[in-house]
């Protein structure tokens, strides 16, 4: 049996981290938890991730663009697929974030 692939979960709440961590562990991923994008990027310098999940539930709209910019520009994580969970439906914010990639 092959080793579990590591996934970086960035979520500010412990409940969100636990929920996503248990879910991903059940589908054969090894979750690594971070509370901020900065912490996640720092962790990525010492590990190799297959996927990054960013839960934006507790981020303010003004904090989303810098968080995604950091994850798309840091050499350790910029090539890793990024999935962003957004709890609100603000078309302007969604379009701005999609434009970032």
């Amino acid at each position: 049996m092959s080793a579990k692939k590591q996934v970086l979960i960035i979520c500010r709440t412990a409940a969100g981290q636990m929920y996503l961590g248990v879910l991903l562990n059940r589908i054969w991923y090894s979750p690594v938890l971070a509370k901020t994008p900065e912490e996640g990027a720092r962790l990525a310098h010492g590990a190799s991730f297959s996927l990054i999940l960013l839960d934006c539930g507790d981020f303010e709209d003004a904090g989303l663009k810098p968080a995604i910019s950091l994850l798309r520009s840091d050499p350790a994580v910029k090539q890793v697929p990024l999935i962003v969970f957004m709890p609100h439906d603000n078309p302007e914010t969604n379009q701005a974030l999609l434009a970032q990639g």
Side-chain angles (χ1 to χ4, degrees):
M1 203 175 274
S2 64
K4 290 183 177 184
K5 293 181 180 180
Q6 286 192 322
V7 61
L8 176 61
I9 299 172
I10 302 172
C11 181
R12 291 186 182 197
T13 65
Q17 288 180 340
M18 184 179 355
Y19 175 77
L20 291 169
V22 168
L23 176 71
L24 289 164
N25 191 39
R26 288 187 181 200
I27 58 172
W28 206 252
Y29 280 96
S30 178
V32 176
L33 307 175
K35 288 203 176 267
T36 64
E38 294 82 7
E39 180 184 1
R42 191 180 73 247
L43 288 170
H45 288 276
S48 175
F49 296 109
S50 299
L51 180 66
I52 300 172
L53 297 177
L54 175 62
D55 184 357
C56 295
D58 293 333
F59 283 86
E60 298 173 7
D61 282 349
L64 291 175
K65 288 177 88 172
I68 293 175
S69 292
L70 172 71
L71 294 172
R72 290 293 106 212
S73 64
D74 192 294
V77 292
K78 72 180 188 178
Q79 298 299 323
V80 180
L82 173 65
I83 297 175
V84 179
F85 294 110
M86 299 201 41
H88 48 79
D89 190 23
N90 182 344
E92 293 173 2
T93 301
N94 292 347
Q95 290 302 319
L97 295 176
L98 283 173
Q100 284 187 278

